[in-house]
Amino acid sequence: MNIIPLDAGFGARINNVDLARLSENPEAQQSLREALLKYGLLVIPGPVLSPQAQIAASEVFGALEEFPPAPGQIPGYPQIFRVASRATEGYTGVGRYWHSDGSFRAVPTPMSLWHMEARPEVGGDTLFTDLQEAYRSLPEKTKAQIKGLQTTHRNHVVHPLVMRHPHTGAEGLYLNVGLTNSIIGMDRDAAEELIATLDRYLSREGAVYRHQWKEGDFVVADNFRVAHRATPLSPLQRRVLNRTTVRGDGAFWETMKAGRPAAVAA
């Protein structure tokens, strides 16, 4: 296994990993979990996997969420949430703002994993930004302003705006720009202004890693460490991205702490 840190200051490219046989390699599994905690984002190139192989590789990081059947999804594989440029092949136009998947849940989704099945010729990149570094580098006045604030999602779920990582304890911003409905204790205008300020800060120069997908790419994100956003894509371009997510109580650090294997059936 060859680990190469990305130039963005977070994330790493992982070479020489056989994802199709990852479930048979405990040493590689442990190395990937440690790399995810260290870098927050893993980019692993490889061949296109079958749904079964993608699920098995994803379960190395924890027990997976399941999703109800929907048009464009893969029958028989509820663990895979398919996003695409065309409605016949998955959900379209999702996540074009900074967010961490599953932030609308009372117990947030700790990890997201994507596998590129069909890459467009033009566009369809995904952007990532480091939430912990964003918080560390904020002006002290802004840190003092936001510490202790809580956000409310449209479905009334409440989360701290500055959240400690459940395993490492490191503090970072935790903000879903598209789904946050209010900030408790602030009037709407002030809350919208603060959200807009933090939105711009997450996009500040030098802070963003732009992933240009290749078929077979397998990307793993720690949702408490990094946020991501999609970029626009024409439906004339074919793009199919298969996503799995680790459920709130299923992260490898939770299951291993409880004395269970990291891969637990959902």
Side-chain angles (χ1 to χ4, degrees):
M1 184 182 298
N2 183 21
I3 301 176
I4 305 172
L6 300 176
D7 292 338
F10 66 98
R13 181 182 176 91
I14 315 292
N15 294 322
N16 304 323
V17 177
D18 186 352
L19 290 171
R21 301 175 66 88
L22 185 57
S23 61
E24 304 169 15
N25 190 336
E27 183 178 347
Q29 294 176 30
Q30 183 61 22
S31 294
L32 288 175
R33 294 177 194 131
E34 291 174 356
L36 182 63
L37 287 172
K38 180 176 181 178
Y39 296 103
L41 181 73
L42 306 182
V43 177
I44 309 173
V48 175
L49 302 172
S50 67
Q52 299 97 318
Q54 180 186 351
I55 290 169
S58 299
E59 286 179 330
V60 165
F61 296 91
L64 303 182
E65 296 175 334
E66 295 189 356
F67 302 91
Q73 302 301 302
I74 307 175
Y77 297 98
Q79 302 94 333
I80 295 177
F81 182 90
R82 182 176 262 195
V83 294
S85 56
R86 302 168 184 174
T88 56
E89 295 184 293
Y91 290 97
T92 62
V94 297
R96 293 181 180 173
Y97 44 80
W98 289 119
H99 68 287
S100 294
D101 290 329
S103 62
F104 61 88
R105 300 179 187 275
V107 181
T109 298
M111 279 165 272
S112 295
L113 309 94
W114 300 268
H115 184 50
M116 176 57 73
E117 179 180 322
R119 177 181 66 89
E121 294 182 5
V122 179
D125 299 347
T126 302
L127 309 180
F128 295 90
T129 192
D130 189 333
L131 296 168
Q132 293 176 7
E133 178 58 27
Y135 177 67
R136 283 193 294 267
S137 61
L138 280 171
E140 291 301 319
K141 181 179 180 180
T142 306
K143 282 186 181 179
Q145 177 190 6
I146 67 175
K147 195 70 177 289
L149 292 179
Q150 293 182 304
T151 63
T152 304
H153 275 49
R154 293 177 186 172
N155 63 345
H156 308 299
V157 165
V158 175
H159 290 304
L161 181 55
V162 179
M163 182 181 285
R164 287 190 177 276
H165 191 285
H167 184 68
T168 68
E171 291 181 314
L173 295 176
Y174 192 74
L175 176 65
N176 188 317
V177 172
L179 297 184
T180 296
N181 186 57
S182 65
I183 297 177
I184 296 174
M186 298 184 73
D187 63 47
R188 180 168 295 277
D189 288 344
E192 290 179 351
E193 182 179 352
L194 176 57
I195 292 170
T197 297
L198 295 176
D199 183 23
R200 290 190 298 270
Y201 196 75
L202 292 173
S203 302
R204 69 197 184 282
E205 185 176 356
V208 176
Y209 166 67
R210 176 182 287 266
H211 185 66
Q212 298 177 312
W213 292 94
K214 296 180 179 179
E215 288 183 356
D217 279 355
F218 189 84
V219 174
V220 188
D222 180 339
N223 285 321
F224 298 114
R225 169 74 183 275
V226 300
H228 63 278
R229 64 183 295 178
T231 58
L233 179 67
S234 167
L236 298 177
Q237 296 284 328
R238 182 171 184 258
R239 179 183 189 268
V240 180
L241 189 60
N242 296 329
R243 191 199 74 184
T244 53
T245 44
V246 173
R247 73 188 191 206
D249 64 346
F252 64 83
W253 55 73
E254 296 292 346
T255 55
M256 295 179 75
K257 182 170 61 179
R260 306 192 303 272
V264 179

